[in-house]
Amino acid sequence: MRALVIEEFGRPGELREVPRPDAAPDGAVIAVAATGVCRSDWHAWQGHDDGVPLPFVPGHEFAGTVVSVGSEVDRAWLGQRVTTPFVCACGRCAECAAGEQQVCARQEQPGFTHDGSFAEFVAVRYAETNLVALPDAVSFDVAATLGCRYATAWRAVHRRARVVAGERVGVFGCGGLGLSAVIVAAQAGAHVTAVDRSPDALEFARRLGATDAGTTMPSDLQVALECSGHPALVDAALRSLRRRGRHVQVGLVPGGAHTAMDVAIARELDVLGSHGMPARDYPELLRTLPIDAVASMIARREPLEGAQHALDALGDAAGVTILHP
């Protein structure tokens, strides 16, 4: 199969022929129809994540068709249109037993722990726990935005921040993750303020439901969703909150970054992390999915040959890039 292979962190990858993966006894192989290009892929390429092996194939946000399954997996999955969360949970550990699969102690992540979806085929473990069947109405392109960005934003808004209608919510950083958070928070009935330095990203945010959007930092928010991971925005998000407000850190923050913990203490803020979403929550997400709004985030579609350029160009323009292997 063809795949983008990274031999050295920070150096351009090479599109080449590599062996097609086999299904583990508890796993499945998916023919990739669409895969998103995410900031997390860029972090892995740059070597910011511990444990990413070299060489590796990036990509963790994908949709496609099941083409093979292991001996422990129901063969009824063969031929089904599916996606998966980027956290492929084991289904057996204490965290999974408690329903918290997104922090599974034995999780695997395509594109991080093993080769990912910037390829014609991708293997996943723990298939019975992680495969999510797609409704016919959800295209592969839309589904390829769900595994990380939209699903992560959905859980951050509904499960971690517990946003309710009428609350003032700030979304800091309006890449694909932040734009997803705007959609979900607006759908929940919140008054959403979007903050980004890109005029195009802010215009996207307005179209997706932000009532305010700009570069000026808001104040007196009830909830702050930080979706960029940039230390300055993390600090600004914390400082934007009213007393007893809720901060949810969704974007990946570089190790050692300073944050305004003095403000968190003085104002008694709730500071929460949010890491993906378990497959068990996908049925609710899919029932409420605003397909047209999510599809409108897709700004560019590229063949697999454009994968390295897409990594290079992350952040240069607003919207989501989808690869078609």
Side-chain angles (χ1 to χ4, degrees):
M1 69 173 185
R2 297 180 309 146
L4 181 73
V5 180
I6 305 296
E7 292 278 359
E8 183 179 347
F9 294 127
R11 301 286 294 177
E14 179 183 348
L15 189 65
R16 66 172 70 152
E17 294 284 334
V18 299
R20 175 175 158 173
D22 295 320
D26 62 358
V29 174
I30 297 161
V32 180
T35 184
V37 182
C38 177
R39 176 62 62 178
S40 300
D41 298 317
W42 184 88
H43 281 293
W45 170 45
Q46 292 297 311
H48 296 165
D49 297 274
D50 293 336
V52 175
L54 287 172
F56 79 102
V57 176
H60 63 288
E61 194 176 39
F62 57 88
T65 303
V66 178
V67 294
S68 64
V69 296
S71 59
E72 301 170 12
V73 179
D74 189 342
R75 292 183 61 80
W77 282 108
L78 289 171
Q80 288 206 42
R81 301 170 68 253
V82 299
T83 187
T84 73
F86 76 86
V87 174
C88 288
C90 75
R92 301 183 184 93
C93 67
E95 288 79 10
C96 287
E100 304 294 349
Q101 297 166 332
Q102 74 285 347
V103 289
C104 169
R106 299 192 298 175
Q107 66 186 255
E108 294 201 356
Q109 296 183 21
F112 298 91
T113 61
H114 64 283
D115 286 345
S117 56
F118 286 11
E120 294 178 303
F121 299 89
V122 63
V124 296
R125 291 282 310 281
Y126 318 126
E128 295 285 6
T129 298
N130 298 293
L131 292 179
V132 177
L134 293 173
D136 291 340
V138 178
S139 70
F140 285 131
D141 282 10
V142 167
T145 71
L146 302 181
C148 178
R149 275 170 278 214
Y150 190 85
T152 296
W154 192 94
R155 186 171 181 278
V157 170
H158 288 296
R159 299 289 190 259
R160 301 299 281 157
R162 300 186 182 277
V163 170
V164 298
E167 287 192 302
R168 296 189 63 225
V169 175
V171 175
F172 293 77
C174 292
L177 177 59
L179 292 175
S180 297
V182 168
I183 293 172
V184 179
Q187 191 180 35
H191 300 288
V192 181
T193 297
V195 177
D196 199 283
R197 64 184 179 183
S198 164
D200 290 342
L202 293 172
E203 180 55 32
F204 252 109
R206 291 186 190 97
R207 294 204 304 265
L208 294 173
T211 51
D212 299 293
T215 58
T216 302
M217 297 303 166
S219 61
D220 204 36
L221 297 175
Q222 290 157 292
V223 177
L225 300 163
E226 204 296 309
C227 297
S228 74
H230 292 296
L233 271 187
V234 176
D235 188 86
L238 285 162
R239 295 183 186 281
S240 73
L241 287 165
R242 65 172 58 175
R243 297 178 188 278
R244 306 301 303 279
R246 297 158 357 246
H247 174 96
V248 183
Q249 188 57 43
V250 197
L252 295 175
V253 181
H258 168 74
T259 56
M261 284 296 105
D262 56 331
V263 176
I265 294 167
R267 299 183 190 173
E268 280 200 353
L269 304 179
D270 290 339
V271 180
L272 306 165
S274 193
H275 186 247
M277 191 177 87
R280 66 180 178 83
D281 282 347
Y282 270 71
E284 183 178 355
L285 178 152
L286 290 167
R287 281 196 303 271
T288 60
L289 183 67
I291 293 174
D292 290 345
V294 175
S296 74
M297 291 194 300
I298 301 172
R300 290 163 297 281
R301 293 172 171 85
E302 301 284 350
L304 193 56
E305 288 80 1
Q308 182 59 55
H309 173 71
L311 282 175
D312 292 335
L314 266 174
D316 290 350
V320 173
T321 297
I322 298 291
L323 301 177
H324 288 156

